[in-house]
Amino acid sequence: MKLIDYLLSFQRRLANSASRFVIALWSRQTGKGFTTSFIASRGAMTESRSKWLIVAPTERQSLETLDKCKDWIKAANISVSDSEEEFDALEKGSKIKAKVIELSNGSKIYALPGKPASLRGFTGYLVIDEFAFFEDQKEVWKAVFAVIVNPMASIKRVIITSTPNGQGDMFHKLVDENLLNPNPKRKVKWEVQKVTIHEAAKEWEKAGKLGTVIDEDTGKERPKTAEEYVAEVREAFDTPEAWPQEFECEFLDTSSNLLTYDMITAAESIDA
């Protein structure tokens, strides 16, 4: 069994995208970190001495994704070591420490919180998890844009994942101009892959990953349906005004955002 076979079809679609710039507009609990860690790990394993940088809103989340990378690499029976490296910070003379895993082929995967300084001058592949929830999203985007348009920076690929977090931010603008209301004048085109909880649940149902329920009519155990799973999640979430944004990938007015990032991540599944 190949490692990619552990991914569901919508996750494989992201993993197999050939686009240089790609956005995963995904619902909660769809395995964003699980999938991006596979992408970074596979890239590091197949391209010797390649560099991958994973940034997330918090250091904790970026380290969790890095841990998932280690799991993928170990599953492939490839040795990996842990270390730390320093990046120049914006403040003169100061440094930012990054956790690093290094493979036996010389490839490295770095994990950092989403700080603009950590992106400047980086050469390699860039994964940005939950971009809509970065505190200084505009500054981070400036740093990303700088390395995208700078041929000397040699950014080979940028993968952005996120659930919406209101309208008017850079994530909303990217999705709007590349998917919702395509702007033909854009020089840099982004592939946008949208996955709601409904689409994901159908994949889980096909894969037999939703568990079982007792049928009310027959009293016998049977597989849980996608519709039943979504209904359970909606009931447990118990915030109907935020449901369309968190699970159906709709961009709500910013004033409607009632949940903090910490509240949302606390409710995420381990592979979300």
Side-chain angles (χ1 to χ4, degrees):
M1 185 174 182
K2 297 179 180 179
L3 292 181
I4 196 170
D5 293 332
Y6 289 99
L7 303 184
L8 298 173
S9 63
F10 69 89
Q11 296 169 334
R12 289 197 298 270
R13 186 165 67 250
L14 179 64
N16 290 332
S17 170
S19 298
R20 185 183 179 202
F21 304 114
V22 60
I23 293 171
L25 172 64
W26 285 10
S27 158
R28 295 289 162 200
Q29 297 182 317
T30 47
K32 292 187 286 290
F34 181 72
T35 308
T36 55
S37 63
F38 169 80
I39 294 171
S41 301
R42 181 181 63 176
M45 289 187 287
T46 56
E47 183 181 344
S48 298
R49 307 194 68 79
S50 60
K51 292 183 179 181
W52 290 77
L53 177 61
I54 298 170
V55 292
T58 66
E59 184 177 30
R60 175 188 59 79
Q61 187 177 359
S62 63
L63 291 177
E64 286 177 352
T65 303
L66 189 66
D67 284 340
K68 291 184 177 78
C69 290
K70 290 167 64 176
D71 292 338
W72 284 114
I73 295 167
K74 289 178 180 178
N77 294 316
I78 294 177
S79 61
V80 59
S81 60
D82 298 85
S83 63
E84 284 189 354
E85 291 188 16
E86 290 185 334
F87 286 69
D88 290 328
L90 291 179
E91 297 80 10
K92 187 175 181 179
S94 60
K95 300 285 185 179
I96 296 176
K97 287 187 177 181
K99 296 291 185 181
V100 187
I101 59 174
E102 184 171 1
L103 285 65
S104 55
N105 67 357
S107 292
K108 294 182 179 181
I109 305 176
Y110 301 80
L112 279 167
K115 303 296 183 182
S118 65
L119 304 178
R120 300 184 189 279
F122 178 75
T123 298
Y125 299 87
L126 178 60
V127 175
I128 305 177
D129 280 333
E130 294 293 5
F131 183 46
F133 294 87
F134 281 52
E135 288 185 6
D136 48 0
Q137 191 180 131
K138 288 186 177 179
E139 290 302 314
V140 171
W141 178 250
K142 288 179 183 178
V144 171
F145 183 78
V147 295
I148 287 175
V149 300
N150 180 5
M152 299 302 293
S154 187
I155 288 293
K156 297 181 178 180
R157 195 171 183 219
V158 182
I159 302 167
I160 294 177
T161 74
S162 195
T163 301
N165 187 31
Q167 301 176 9
D169 60 10
M170 281 306 309
F171 183 67
H172 173 242
K173 182 177 180 181
L174 285 172
V175 173
D176 186 57
E177 294 188 355
N178 288 278
L179 177 68
L180 305 178
N181 298 287
N183 179 0
K185 296 182 179 180
R186 283 192 64 90
K187 301 297 184 183
V188 177
K189 306 291 185 181
W190 290 76
E191 176 189 353
V192 182
Q193 298 186 11
K194 179 179 177 181
V195 178
T196 69
I197 190 68
H198 305 283
E199 295 154 337
K202 290 178 181 177
E203 292 295 328
W204 292 326
E205 182 181 12
K206 290 179 183 177
K209 294 182 177 294
L210 294 182
T212 60
V213 295
I214 301 299
D215 191 281
E216 294 182 357
D217 296 326
T218 65
K220 296 181 179 180
E221 190 176 51
R222 62 167 175 79
K224 184 183 299 181
T225 67
E227 291 77 12
E228 289 170 331
Y229 170 78
V230 171
E232 287 181 359
V233 174
R234 186 193 291 267
E235 181 179 320
F237 185 59
D238 197 26
T239 313
E241 61 273 26
W243 175 265
Q245 179 162 271
E246 301 301 327
F247 291 93
E248 296 176 334
C249 300
E250 295 183 15
F251 289 86
L252 302 183
D253 183 270
T254 306
S255 61
S256 301
N257 290 348
L258 303 176
L259 304 178
T260 66
Y261 181 70
D262 288 339
M263 290 168 60
I264 292 169
T265 54
E268 288 273 32
S269 70
I270 191 170
D271 288 334

